[in-house]
Amino acid sequence: MSKEFDLILLGPTGYTGAFVAEHICKSFPTTLKWAVAGRSASKIQSVLEQLKTLGLDRADPDVLTVQLTPDELDALAKRTRLIVNCVGPYHLYSTPVVESCAENGTHYIDVSGETPWIRRVLQKYHKTAEKNGAIIVPSCGFESVPPDIVAWVAVDFLRTKLSAEPVEAVGCLYDFRSAGVSGGTAYSILSTLEGANISEMLSALDSYCLSATPTPPTRITPRKSIAELICGVRAASDLGTLTTVPSRMADESTVLRSSTLMPDLYGPRFSYGQYLRVRNVFLGTIFHLAFNSIVCLLVFAPIRWLFRKILPAPGGGPSKDETVNDYCEHRILISSDQRDETGRPTKALGSIAYQGGQYDLTGLTAAAAAKVVLNHEKEIKDISAGFVTSATLGQPYVDELEKGNV
């Protein structure tokens, strides 16, 4: 059945939503039938005025006002093939958006890094979405597209070019320069900790918490050395000195869900760990201890109050001029079951990089994912409907990212 819209962007007035709107305008054909939706028509209009400064020859999208109630969201989902949702914090506002999409067979993309919330809605709505043919792609931004996609590319290379089975994968944020976080990101972190269900948080710490299948006995997570357990630091050939990365929970659970959605590609022994590259062991230890100390301190309300005073308010973030020198590079090293003439495992080293701000990258990755879902529904559903990952979008997604200079 034909829908009124191909795509509706929900939440275009937020800091990240504006980047997504910009990349939709830049990358989609002018024939796209789309709309922007939010609670305030006047705020949406200001976003459209900003889009006009891009100088693109295309008509404005329709403007829809909607409250985040089940009835209004249900009506919204019925009008479109796909919703790109930028309304966060997701655990506070977006559960009814996922529910409406799942029940109406409407595809859905978001840029959440909130793993406990993703786990909750996955468990509740995956079967409904799968039954109704909805493709649900969470974490389609800086968290966790780069590690998920570079892992898929490296695994595919091992399989198709070297006829080898991937085993242990070590990924890292290899290089990162940023002008700072947005107010929305800060608010999401603080509100998650503020309303945290301890049981859910502990469950989300398991890297396999989003796995599509139970962890098979052949899939053994590599043991950590005593130094890594205490100092949070390890060394990896071709990557350097590695330590704890703040995005570990989101990135590891996403990559490992990809591996269980595509078991023939990743194999039964694939494991994955995500890290941050640092200059030396001393800096790695300091960062690991400082990060974990801050997380523990944020459990206390006075500390959260202090951070709210320091961090940017929701809706704000670094300007484009401030992010002109921002850069990120993710690398992954995957060992295989194949050995060279010296007896060492054959390995694949992959990387993905972007010159620009992490929120600009998020706008690009979300818009590219929307384009692939709309144009390649059948291929994605051949892997799985319901809750999938950016890696399940495959080579068409890699091609779209390359067009955006990723």
Side-chain angles (χ1 to χ4, degrees):
M1 184 176 66
S2 178
K3 298 286 186 80
E4 182 180 356
F5 299 108
D6 298 314
L7 179 158
I8 292 176
L9 172 60
L10 183 61
T13 61
Y15 182 75
T16 303
F19 281 108
V20 177
E22 178 180 326
H23 281 282
I24 289 172
C25 287
K26 287 180 177 178
S27 62
F28 275 82
T30 56
T31 53
L32 177 73
K33 298 181 294 181
W34 72 300
V36 288
R39 290 177 290 185
S40 171
S42 61
K43 289 183 178 180
I44 294 175
Q45 199 58 49
S46 68
V47 173
L48 298 187
E49 292 301 318
Q50 187 63 34
L51 291 176
K52 290 177 182 178
T53 65
L54 298 175
L56 301 172
D57 184 19
R58 65 184 305 144
D60 288 343
D62 286 13
V63 175
L64 308 176
T65 54
V66 60
Q67 301 300 315
L68 300 180
T69 62
D71 287 345
E72 292 199 24
L73 289 170
D74 195 53
L76 191 74
K78 284 180 166 65
R79 299 176 68 179
T80 184
R81 292 174 58 198
L82 182 148
I83 288 177
V84 180
N85 179 24
C86 294
V87 179
Y90 288 89
H91 69 278
L92 293 180
Y93 302 118
S94 289
T95 298
V97 185
V98 175
E99 180 179 18
S100 293
C101 288
E103 291 183 346
N104 288 284
T106 301
H107 306 319
Y108 170 96
I109 287 169
D110 72 33
V111 295
S112 170
E114 301 169 30
T115 304
W117 173 77
I118 294 170
R119 182 174 181 270
R120 190 189 318 148
V121 292
L122 186 157
Q123 291 177 337
K124 192 170 183 179
Y125 300 114
H126 171 68
K127 289 184 179 178
T128 301
E130 187 177 40
K131 180 183 70 175
N132 293 327
I135 296 168
I136 311 288
V137 196
S139 300
C140 221
F142 181 77
E143 294 174 331
S144 297
V145 168
D148 197 30
I149 284 299
V150 75
W152 180 86
V153 171
V155 167
D156 186 64
F157 177 83
L158 279 172
R159 284 289 190 189
T160 59
K161 303 298 183 182
L162 303 179
S163 300
E165 181 177 292
V167 185
E168 181 186 3
V170 179
C172 70
L173 182 53
Y174 188 81
D175 194 1
F176 183 62
R177 300 191 295 274
S178 173
V181 301
S182 73
T185 298
Y187 181 47
S188 292
I189 294 170
L190 293 175
S191 65
T192 296
L193 291 170
E194 195 163 47
N197 177 306
I198 299 301
S199 176
E200 283 189 339
M201 290 295 291
L202 291 174
S203 295
L205 289 173
D206 178 5
S207 298
Y208 289 92
C209 67
L210 303 181
S211 177
T213 58
T215 306
T218 52
R219 189 182 297 240
I220 301 172
T221 302
R223 292 182 178 179
K224 294 182 178 181
S225 67
I226 294 177
E228 185 175 354
L229 289 171
I230 296 174
C231 303
V233 178
R234 66 173 291 179
S237 60
D238 301 304
L239 296 178
T241 304
L242 308 178
T243 190
T244 303
V245 67
S247 61
R248 183 193 70 82
M249 181 190 296
D251 293 344
E252 287 185 3
S253 60
T254 298
V255 173
L256 289 169
R257 180 165 180 81
S258 295
S259 74
T260 56
L261 287 169
M262 297 177 281
D264 290 342
L265 180 65
Y266 288 77
R269 293 185 290 164
F270 180 84
S271 66
Y272 184 74
Q274 177 76 355
Y275 300 89
L276 172 70
R277 183 181 74 98
V278 289
R279 291 181 182 178
N280 54 55
V281 172
F282 176 74
L283 289 176
T285 302
I286 294 298
F287 184 87
H288 170 75
L289 295 175
F291 172 72
N292 283 287
S293 297
I294 290 171
V295 170
C296 292
L297 288 172
L298 285 173
V299 172
F300 301 101
I303 302 297
R304 293 196 300 271
W305 176 86
L306 179 62
F307 269 76
R308 284 195 175 94
K309 295 295 182 182
I310 299 171
L311 296 169
S319 68
K320 284 195 174 182
D321 288 340
E322 290 173 326
T323 63
V324 67
N325 293 317
D326 284 6
Y327 177 81
C328 66
E329 180 182 358
H330 288 75
R331 291 189 182 183
I332 185 170
L333 182 69
I334 306 183
S335 301
S336 74
D337 65 346
Q338 192 177 90
R339 297 188 176 272
D340 60 21
E341 60 276 5
T342 67
R344 296 176 180 176
T346 301
K347 299 180 180 181
L349 177 66
S351 70
I352 185 170
Y354 185 70
Q355 180 69 54
Q358 65 198 73
Y359 297 96
D360 185 48
L361 175 60
T362 291
L364 191 160
T365 54
K371 193 173 183 182
V372 172
V373 169
L374 290 174
N375 293 335
H376 299 273
E377 287 181 67
K378 184 180 182 302
E379 297 95 316
I380 300 167
K381 289 180 182 179
D382 284 345
I383 297 172
S384 177
F387 281 72
V388 297
T389 62
S390 57
T392 62
L393 308 185
Q395 189 60 45
Y397 191 42
V398 174
D399 295 340
E400 285 296 326
L401 294 177
E402 288 178 345
K403 291 177 185 177
N405 296 318
V406 176

